[in-house]
Amino acid sequence: MKARIAQNEIDNSIFAGLIKTDGILYRSGIDHKLLELIKLRVAQINSCAYCLDMHYKEAEHLGETPQRLYSLSAWKETPYYSELEQAVLAYTEAITNVNRAHFEPELMAALEKYFNKDQIALITLAISQINTWTRLNIAFGTVPGGYVVGQYA
């Protein structure tokens, strides 16, 4: 496979805002394992092979178990995720698929049990951010498989 647009073929400054936002998210205090679950779930929904490879590896590096990672697409059917994680995953799916269904107020109410408004805003930003990255990687045809944990740290 060959990328349609390789990262070294374009001006990296186009990624500067995204990279700065990633830094804000990692310094936000939101649990990094939770952020990786969000990213992996969005990558599954959007079928981004590069992001699946990256975020599976990053989550596993942070201590996520293979069982929780390979079961993520069926999270509603498993006992592996806490109520907090279930609330975040439901919200992640709703925001990622916002064009497919009406946004239900119950999603926000579920998050408010665990997070304040600033944290919910950061989680929403994390969901939006990974949706942007998946779309770029899909459009550019970024080749999966070679990601090394911490490569972009």
Side-chain angles (χ1 to χ4, degrees), residues 15-29:
F15 299 116
L18 293 169
I19 292 166
K20 183 176 181 180
T21 301
D22 281 339
I24 291 167
L25 291 168
Y26 277 105
R27 292 186 304 276
S28 72

Side-chain angles (χ1 to χ4, degrees), residues 21 24-25 28 30 35 38 88 91 95 108 111-112 115-129:
T21 301
I24 291 167
L25 291 168
S28 72
I30 302 294
L35 288 172
I38 290 168
V88 170
Y91 186 70
I95 296 299
M108 189 64 69
L111 287 178
E112 289 172 340
F115 302 103
N116 63 38
K117 289 181 181 184
D118 284 338
Q119 292 168 319
I120 293 170
L122 287 162
I123 289 167
T124 307
L125 180 60
I127 297 164
S128 300
Q129 177 83 342

